[in-house]
Amino acid sequence: MGGSMSLNSSSTDSCEETRGGALFVPDEDGVLVEVLQGDLVRDTGGTSRMVVVRVDSQQCRVVLRGERECSPDGEEQSVVGLMLLREGVTLARHQLRELLAIYFAHCTREECAPHEGLVQGIEHSIRTATAKEVSLDLSGRRLRDAELFMLNAATLHWHATRCSLSSAELTASQSPSAAACCVRVVDVSQNKISCDGATALCTMLARDMPLVLELYLDSNNISDGFQNILSSSSSSSFSSVN
């Protein structure tokens, strides 16, 4: 899972932990997060910025190269003393993890089980994100309108909660959010979504993922007319709707 967990005192000394075949290192907030290929890291004792080329969770080691180096090779080292930087693809992964956390929290409030396919799709998107493209790939995940209604409601509730915070509380919670997510492609093709579900999705994208350029809706229960209206809408930011 492309997850995260709180950094407790027992893990502070080693600065790393393995769980379920994954390797975790602290981010800028001291939260243990799974380190993945392509992530940007820095040695806490220095200023060098490096890119993760490969992860060896069994040995608690990673292969790193300099941020501006183009070579596919790198130098192997322990993850002890490394910190994830919320920039580039690492920031995108953080934002997708936060989107997933917002969805989980809403499911808890509504006392309903999270949709397995939706959760797996977001987790897969976290793992497959690259510096060249960040996509939210929910294709073929057995999604119905209900799942998109829930996701839209989850992010809407998150916004309403932030709007109710005082200035001091708001300043203290300025971590990058789903609202600033840098996803460029959203794919919900090959599901069971109707025009109502697609409308809920587009509402969420306009509010929370304004940088999305490509939206894939094919192989759903959506009329061609709806897609044509969306493609020609002056308020739509999509350069491609399929």
Side-chain angles (χ1 to χ4, degrees), residues 79-94:
V79 298
V80 175
L82 293 181
M83 179 179 70
L84 282 172
L85 299 177
R86 286 183 185 166
E87 299 178 33
V89 68
T90 309
L91 172 59
R93 285 170 171 156
H94 167 76

Side-chain angles (χ1 to χ4, degrees), residues 210-240:
L211 301 181
V212 170
L213 297 176
E214 299 178 30
L215 175 61
Y216 294 91
L217 299 166
D218 51 293
S219 299
N220 279 290
N221 300 320
I222 301 172
S223 66
D224 292 338
F226 179 89
Q227 295 193 39
N228 292 336
I229 292 173
L230 189 60
S231 298
S232 61
S233 173
S234 59
S235 61
S236 171
S237 62
F238 308 130
S239 62
S240 176

Side-chain angles (χ1 to χ4, degrees), residues 39-52 64-69 75 77 81-85 87:
D39 277 333
L40 185 63
V41 299
R42 177 172 63 81
D43 190 325
T44 55
T47 59
S48 298
R49 297 155 59 91
M50 298 159 286
V51 175
V52 177
L64 303 173
R65 63 169 173 80
E67 181 183 15
R68 301 186 182 281
E69 295 177 8
E75 181 178 344
Q77 72 173 67
L82 293 181
M83 179 179 70
L84 282 172
L85 299 177
E87 299 178 33

Side-chain angles (χ1 to χ4, degrees), residues 1-109:
M1 291 174 61
S4 62
M5 59 183 178
S6 296
L7 179 63
N8 53 45
S9 57
S10 63
S11 60
T12 304
D13 293 337
S14 63
C15 291
E16 103 283 327
E17 183 169 326
T18 56
R19 177 166 57 94
L23 183 59
F24 292 78
V25 300
D27 66 5
E28 296 174 8
D29 291 332
V31 177
L32 284 177
V33 180
E34 182 181 3
V35 60
L36 299 168
Q37 181 179 347
D39 277 333
L40 185 63
V41 299
R42 177 172 63 81
D43 190 325
T44 55
T47 59
S48 298
R49 297 155 59 91
M50 298 159 286
V51 175
V52 177
V53 177
R54 189 169 65 255
V55 178
D56 185 347
S57 58
Q58 291 185 339
Q59 299 298 323
C60 291
R61 300 180 72 83
V62 290
V63 174
L64 303 173
R65 63 169 173 80
E67 181 183 15
R68 301 186 182 281
E69 295 177 8
C70 298
S71 172
D73 301 319
E75 181 178 344
E76 182 178 312
Q77 72 173 67
S78 167
V79 298
V80 175
L82 293 181
M83 179 179 70
L84 282 172
L85 299 177
R86 286 183 185 166
E87 299 178 33
V89 68
T90 309
L91 172 59
R93 285 170 171 156
H94 167 76
Q95 293 166 333
L96 286 172
R97 288 184 180 107
E98 192 170 51
L99 176 65
L100 187 57
I102 290 170
Y103 173 67
F104 278 142
H106 189 70
C107 289
T108 299
R109 283 191 300 272

Side-chain angles (χ1 to χ4, degrees), residues 132-136 181-187 205 209-216 230-231 236-242:
K132 293 183 178 180
E133 180 177 273
V134 179
S135 64
L136 178 57
C181 197
C182 53
V183 171
R184 295 294 191 272
V185 179
V186 173
D187 187 350
L205 295 182
M209 299 182 182
L211 301 181
V212 170
L213 297 176
E214 299 178 30
L215 175 61
Y216 294 91
L230 189 60
S231 298
S236 171
S237 62
F238 308 130
S239 62
S240 176
V241 180
N242 298 288

